[in-house]
Amino acid sequence: MTSPIAQDLLGRLQGQPLSDIGRQLGLSDSQVQGAVATALPLLLGALGRNASQPEGADALFGALQRDHAGEDVGSVLGAVLGGGGQGAGILEHVLGGRQQTAIRGIEASTGLDGDRAGSLLKMLAPLVMAYLARRMFSSDPAPAGTTPLSPTPQSLGSVLGEESRRIGESGGLAGGLLGAVLDQDSDGDTDLGDLLRLGGSLLGGR
C-alpha cells in the first residue's frame, strides 16, 4: 500500500482493533490484515473522487463536521462492533450504485465471500470518516508525505484527491480495484473482469 493516508489508518488499526474486526468476521489475523489493506484504499479513493468537485468536497466536509467531529477511531470501532456506526448509510453516499461492484471486487481480490466483504466495508466506512474528522478538526499530525488538513472543504478535496491519485497510480490490487469500481461505466483501463482474473491468479486460481 503506497498511499500515506490509508497506510496511516491501517497502522492505527494494528493489534487489537484488527483482531476484533477479524473475530467479528470470522477471519484469521493474516486474512483481516490483507482484506483491510485492500478495502481502505478503495474507500479513500472513492472519497477522493467524490471530493474532486467543489460540491462533493462541500458535502463531505459538512458530513464530517456535523456527524463525525469529536469522534475517535477506537470509540467508533466499539460502536461498529456492536452493530452501530451507520456504515450502510455512509457507503450509500460514498459508493452509491457501485456498492455491489465494490463488494465483488473485494471478494475477488481477498477471497472473502460477498457477505463478509460487504460487512467489512460497512465496518470500515465509519472508521474512515472518524479518522478524517479527527485529522481535520484536531491537532493530530499529518502522516509523512501528506499535506496537513485544514478545516476547509478545499483542503479536504485537495488532500483526498492526492490520495486517490496515488492509489490509482500504485498498480496492484488497490489501484486495480479502485479503477474497476469507479470507472466501470466510463472509459477506464481496468474493468471488473480484469480484476476478477487478477484476484483469481493471486489467490491460486480461486
Side-chain angles (χ1 to χ4, degrees), residues 105-186:
I106 295 290
E107 182 180 6
S109 57
T110 65
L112 300 185
D113 58 65
D115 286 344
R116 286 192 287 186
S119 294
L120 177 65
L121 288 173
K122 290 177 184 176
M123 294 171 73
L124 292 179
L127 299 179
V128 169
M129 297 293 279
Y131 170 86
L132 291 174
R134 187 163 184 83
R135 281 278 317 279
M136 175 162 289
F137 302 117
S138 79
S139 58
D140 278 12
T146 67
T147 303
L149 268 170
S150 59
T152 67
Q154 294 77 17
S155 173
L156 179 64
S158 176
V159 169
L160 286 179
E162 176 63 16
E163 179 82 354
S164 184
R165 184 189 66 77
R166 292 190 188 198
I167 293 166
E169 293 177 353
S170 67
L173 282 176
L177 178 56
L178 181 63
V181 171
L182 296 185
D183 295 330
Q184 64 167 131
D185 297 322
S186 303

